[in-house]
Amino acid sequence: MSLELIKSLRATRVFTAEPVTRDQLTAVLEAARWAGSARNRQPWRFVVAGDRALLRELSRLGAYAGHLAGAPVVVLLAVDASLSTQDAEFDAGRAAQNLMLAAHALGLGSCPASFFPAENARRATELAGVREPWHVRTAVSLGRPAPAPRGVPAVPQGRLPLSDLVIERP
């Protein structure tokens, strides 16, 4: 079994102007829909946004949300906050990872953005057009990756060795 798809997934923050096709969008949303969830509650809704003004406004709602402005399409993950918050947020993360892996398999790039502090999440929820019990704290940008800018990466590259990450207990 090859894990290359998982191992090769990287955040894409710069996109070409090429649109994401309806078939590609449907495929990544289907992958997200099939993520597991606690008690199969599926505590998510997917708000698809492509309006340039909306994406620019969303891009100002967090220190690491800037990439949303340049994406052809953004998927906002609305989570039902009336459910167990920890379960629902974890399950939304599972759906987001499915979405990003499916995008990668289709040759698209993606990058998650978190809306913090709470006021930014409230505004993202409002911009998504959803109301209680739904809240938006995360979005995923999607598009065809553009060539990466040259220079020194802002974050460390690579992964820690597995031996540094695993604690075995008898």
Side-chain angles (χ1 to χ4, degrees):
M1 169 177 68
S2 173
L3 300 177
E4 204 49 46
L5 184 71
I6 293 169
K7 290 167 59 176
S8 62
L9 177 65
R10 296 291 179 270
T12 299
R13 293 177 181 85
V14 182
F15 303 95
T16 69
E18 183 180 339
V20 174
T21 69
R22 175 57 62 184
D23 286 346
Q24 290 170 322
L25 183 58
T26 298
V28 299
L29 292 171
E30 275 291 336
R33 180 175 82 90
W34 280 98
S37 63
R39 292 168 293 291
N40 196 30
R41 290 186 299 199
Q42 304 167 60
W44 50 67
R45 296 296 181 269
F46 308 111
V47 179
V48 178
D51 176 75
R52 303 284 12 122
L54 173 59
L55 298 184
R56 278 192 300 275
E57 190 163 355
L58 288 166
S59 76
R60 294 189 288 267
L61 296 179
Y64 304 102
H67 59 91
L68 300 177
V73 68
V74 168
V75 178
L76 298 140
L77 281 87
V79 177
D80 184 344
S82 69
L83 302 173
S84 167
T85 306
Q86 291 83 3
D87 283 353
E89 291 293 337
F90 179 78
D91 291 342
R94 295 169 71 187
Q97 187 73 0
N98 273 18
L99 185 146
M100 292 183 293
L101 284 168
H104 185 46
L106 295 171
L108 298 174
S110 66
C111 187
S114 297
F115 301 117
F116 290 101
E119 179 55 30
N120 286 349
R122 187 204 59 73
R123 181 67 178 141
T125 299
E126 181 181 287
L127 290 170
V130 297
R131 292 188 299 231
E132 292 287 339
W134 302 99
H135 293 276
V136 174
R137 291 184 182 89
T138 307
V140 177
S141 56
L142 291 172
R144 182 81 46 203
R150 295 186 189 268
V152 178
V155 295
Q157 300 281 317
R159 292 288 185 264
L160 293 172
L162 191 58
S163 60
D164 289 358
L165 302 171
V166 176
I167 301 167
E168 293 200 36
R169 303 279 308 185

